[in-house]
């Protein structure tokens, strides 16, 4: 009786494991983003990977570091490994079109997040934050914090990135209406904290009386803040864009950074995986290709609710 019971129990366990293995064997999803040194991109990768695993996929998570050649190699790897789909935050609006087309020709659909490419009909989805709407929120807050007057600096993102231009346009469509606000410097720091620190050091030497810095992302905002603190300029107001935990902490700790704009990177990445799963299951797109997600202003009124690019309800 005992031997029979053991056999039955063992068989049941094996069947359970087999069923679980089959349920979890839906294939490989490649998740490719810029460098995980930037917490926004790490949140994207983590969010996509968590959702992929929950839906039963294995994952290949990699970073292209905003290097087009490296991105192309990673997409080639995804094709060679017969990935079911690619989740991609791309390395260039123009340079990415060809590689995504190549994946499509190989029968591998791509779902873009955060950054668009300059062609439709190649990727199944392009899920991006409403950067223009978010930039206007940030600019309105920036102007209010400065009292609508004073000299300010703008730090731009990587010039090949569509988002950098869209955010800058959103800023200026608001700020240029303020006659008493003057932009005295506008430089690209390529989304980099280190470059932003260096740029701000140089800018401050020529423009010591600035009262504000508006930045294309939080990473550059943090670099600017560090340079301002090093120069003893604790009253210069900084506004960022992304909604990172680091800028949240600066807001709560009364640092130079007074506000940022949250783009929901975690939710965006998870949505892309859900849509990839739907496409693979149903053979058609769940939604239209171009999808915009509205951004949310983060300041001292709601910063405490922010964690990992998500705002608690």
């Amino acid at each position: 009786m005992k031997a029979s019971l053991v056999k039955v129990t063992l068989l049941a366990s094996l069947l359970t494991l087999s069923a679980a293995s089959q349920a979890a064997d839906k294939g490989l999803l490649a998740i490719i983003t810029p460098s995980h040194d930037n917490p926004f991109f790490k949140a994207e990768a983590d969010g996509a990977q968590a959702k992929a695993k929950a839906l039963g996929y294995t994952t290949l998570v990699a970073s292209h570091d905003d290097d087009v050649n490296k991105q192309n190699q990673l997409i080639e790897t995804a094709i060679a490994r017969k990935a079911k789909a690619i989740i991609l935050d791309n390395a260039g609006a123009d340079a990415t079109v060809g590689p995504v087309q190549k994946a499509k020709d190989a029968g591998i659909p791509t779902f873009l997040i955060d950054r668009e490419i300059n062609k439709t009909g190649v990727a199944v989805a392009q899920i991006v934050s409403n950067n223009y709407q978010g930039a206007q929120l940030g600019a309105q807050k920036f102007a209010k914090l400065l009292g609508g007057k004073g000299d300010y600096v703008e730090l731009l993102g990587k010039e090949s990135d569509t988002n950098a231009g869209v955010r800058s346009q959103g800023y200026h469509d608001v700020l240029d209406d303020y006659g008493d606000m003057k932009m005295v410097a506008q430089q690209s720091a390529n989304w980099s904290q280190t470059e932003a620190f260096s740029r701000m050091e140089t800018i401050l030497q020529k423009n010591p009386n600035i009262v504000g810095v508006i930045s294309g992302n939080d990473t550059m905002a943090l670099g600017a803040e560090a340079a301002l603190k090093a120069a003893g300029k604790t009253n210069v107001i900084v506004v960022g864009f992304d909604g990172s935990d680091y800028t949240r902490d600066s807001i709560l700790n009364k640092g130079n950074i007074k506000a940022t704009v949250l783009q929901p990177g975690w939710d965006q990445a998870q949505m892309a995986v859900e849509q990839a799963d739907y496409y693979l299951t149903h053979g058609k797109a769940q939604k239209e290709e171009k999808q915009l997600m509205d951004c949310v202003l983060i300041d001292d009124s709601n910063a405490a609710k922010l964690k990992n690019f998500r705002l608690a309800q």
Side-chain angles (χ1 to χ4, degrees), residues 156-196:
L156 298 165
K158 195 176 182 69
E159 293 184 21
S160 63
D161 186 338
T162 302
N163 289 347
V166 172
R167 291 176 191 175
S168 183
Q169 186 65 53
Y171 288 157
H172 285 281
D173 283 351
V174 172
L175 299 179
D176 291 353
D177 288 338
Y178 287 82
D180 292 330
M181 291 183 67
K182 179 183 178 183
M183 183 176 69
V184 295
Q186 181 189 54
Q187 292 190 22
S188 171
N190 293 306
W191 304 128
S192 166
Q193 185 168 339
T194 303
E195 285 193 44

Side-chain angles (χ1 to χ4, degrees), residues 151-292:
D151 293 348
Y152 73 93
V153 171
E154 181 186 7
L155 292 177
L156 298 165
K158 195 176 182 69
E159 293 184 21
S160 63
D161 186 338
T162 302
N163 289 347
V166 172
R167 291 176 191 175
S168 183
Q169 186 65 53
Y171 288 157
H172 285 281
D173 283 351
V174 172
L175 299 179
D176 291 353
D177 288 338
Y178 287 82
D180 292 330
M181 291 183 67
K182 179 183 178 183
M183 183 176 69
V184 295
Q186 181 189 54
Q187 292 190 22
S188 171
N190 293 306
W191 304 128
S192 166
Q193 185 168 339
T194 303
E195 285 193 44
F197 182 89
S198 176
R199 296 285 185 275
M200 278 305 306
E201 281 190 318
T202 302
I203 289 169
L204 284 170
Q205 290 173 6
K206 297 180 180 179
N207 304 279
N209 297 319
I210 62 169
V211 295
V213 179
I214 191 161
S215 173
N217 78 343
D218 281 350
T219 307
M220 296 187 298
L222 290 163
E225 180 181 50
L228 290 166
K229 286 182 176 179
K233 295 186 176 297
T234 57
N235 293 325
V236 176
I237 290 167
V238 180
V239 169
F241 196 117
D242 276 343
S244 74
D245 290 355
Y246 295 111
T247 50
R248 171 204 65 197
D249 293 344
S250 182
I251 292 168
L252 294 176
N253 293 326
K254 311 299 182 184
N256 290 81
I257 299 174
K258 303 300 182 185
T260 184
V261 176
L262 169 65
Q263 53 169 342
W266 179 281
D267 293 340
Q268 199 173 92
Q270 293 213 323
M271 184 185 296
V273 174
E274 289 170 350
Q275 291 187 26
D277 182 61
Y278 183 94
Y279 182 88
L280 295 170
T281 303
H282 297 86
K284 62 180 181 180
Q286 186 178 21
K287 297 184 178 182
E288 61 185 15
E289 180 180 341
K290 289 290 190 81
Q291 301 168 47
L292 285 177

Side-chain angles (χ1 to χ4, degrees), residues 33-34 39-49 89 113-114 265 268-269:
T33 70
F40 179 78
F41 300 130
K42 186 176 189 307
E44 284 185 331
D46 290 347
Q49 185 176 39
D89 190 341
I113 54 175
D114 181 43
Q268 199 173 92

